[in-house]
Amino acid sequence: MKIAFATGNKNKVLELKKILEKTNIQIIQKNIEIEEPRSESLQEIAITKANYAVNKLKMSVIVEDSGLFIDSLNNFPGTYSHWVYDKIGYIGIINLINKIKTRKATFKAVIVYLEPNKKPQIFTGEKQGTIALESKGVDGFGYDPIFIPKNETKTWAENPNSKNQSSHRQMAIKKFTNWATTNL
Ligand code: IMP
């Protein structure tokens, strides 16, 4: 079956396609402009965007919303991660927490699957870790060069295998896949 993935982020599409390649679910990227509502809740944002995308595309859609939540910054940049990244990048984040000892952070992802005239299905994933003292690695995207997953020593940009196995997005995708293989 075909599902539209409403996103402009090719990296997210690749991550989703990789895990769904052994199923009968076919993901089609739809790079439609969706205005991001302002909210502290990833779930609320993803549901709003999914409703918009279904109305526009008239087919089943997946929307994913994610962000980096830093403990010592009261969960900033959180739902503003995309915007903050565009403004100050990961170097800006390193500078912001320069002298702060607690470097704990959590990546969160919410996937919403929505069929026309149905209720949204919601799948979440989280990955705990710390913000590195300096950026390292070249793989991945976004804040990957400064995120070190819990119990590891390398950033996701240095160790993409770790990201592929246990990222926030992978966790949410796996929950969606499990649900989809029995319900779709
Ligand atoms: P959005 O979900 O497209 O609104 O953007 C979330 C933002 O969070 C992205 O633009 C990235 O900057 C950041 N982000 C989300 N997931 C990841 C990830 O897996 N690695 C690095 N940065 C991420």
Side-chain angles (χ1 to χ4, degrees):
M1 80 174 292
K2 288 184 180 167
I3 303 174
F5 187 12
T7 181
N9 187 329
K10 279 189 193 148
N11 296 289
K12 288 183 178 180
V13 180
L14 287 177
E15 288 185 14
L16 189 60
K17 276 191 172 167
K18 197 162 187 193
I19 200 161
L20 291 178
E21 67 192 0
K22 291 187 191 99
T23 70
N24 66 345
I25 299 168
Q26 194 190 339
I27 294 295
I28 307 156
Q29 182 183 7
K30 295 280 182 185
N31 190 357
I32 52 170
E33 272 300 316
I34 309 180
E35 197 180 326
E36 180 137 341
R38 211 178 258 201
S39 166
E40 299 273 317
S41 157
L42 287 177
Q43 189 165 313
E44 198 175 301
I45 294 172
I47 290 174
T48 307
K49 286 163 109 177
N51 277 311
Y52 178 89
V54 162
N55 282 335
K56 178 130 184 142
L57 300 169
K58 313 271 185 256
M59 66 184 292
S60 302
V61 302
I62 282 177
V63 166
E64 189 264 17
D65 221 76
S66 46
L68 179 63
F69 296 73
I70 300 176
D71 286 24
S72 60
L73 298 181
N74 200 15
N75 288 327
F76 184 82
T79 55
Y80 305 106
S81 294
H82 190 152
W83 183 78
V84 169
Y85 184 83
D86 286 348
K87 289 283 175 200
I88 61 172
Y90 54 75
I91 297 294
I93 293 292
I94 293 223
N95 291 339
L96 267 180
I97 62 164
N98 187 13
K99 295 203 170 76
I100 300 174
K101 278 196 188 133
T102 318
R103 304 183 74 87
K104 279 189 191 162
T106 306
F107 260 121
K108 296 183 186 179
V110 172
I111 288 179
V112 170
Y113 170 75
L114 185 60
E115 281 177 36
N117 306 315
K118 292 265 177 77
K119 278 191 181 163
Q121 300 292 330
I122 296 151
F123 309 91
T124 59
E126 288 193 12
K127 185 70 188 182
Q128 292 184 337
T130 51
I131 302 299
L133 291 168
E134 56 181 358
S135 64
K136 281 191 183 160
V138 291
D139 278 308
F141 70 98
Y143 301 100
D144 283 351
I146 62 166
F147 184 77
I148 302 175
K150 196 174 174 182
N151 299 325
E152 295 184 34
T153 53
K154 289 184 173 166
T155 68
W156 266 346
E158 291 179 286
N159 187 6
N161 283 342
S162 157
K163 184 177 186 191
N164 287 337
Q165 276 160 22
S166 68
S167 77
H168 52 313
R169 187 166 304 103
Q170 290 295 318
M171 187 189 281
I173 294 171
K174 279 175 194 158
K175 286 183 188 171
F176 164 71
T177 316
N178 286 342
W179 176 85
T181 43
T182 46
N183 290 282
L184 295 183

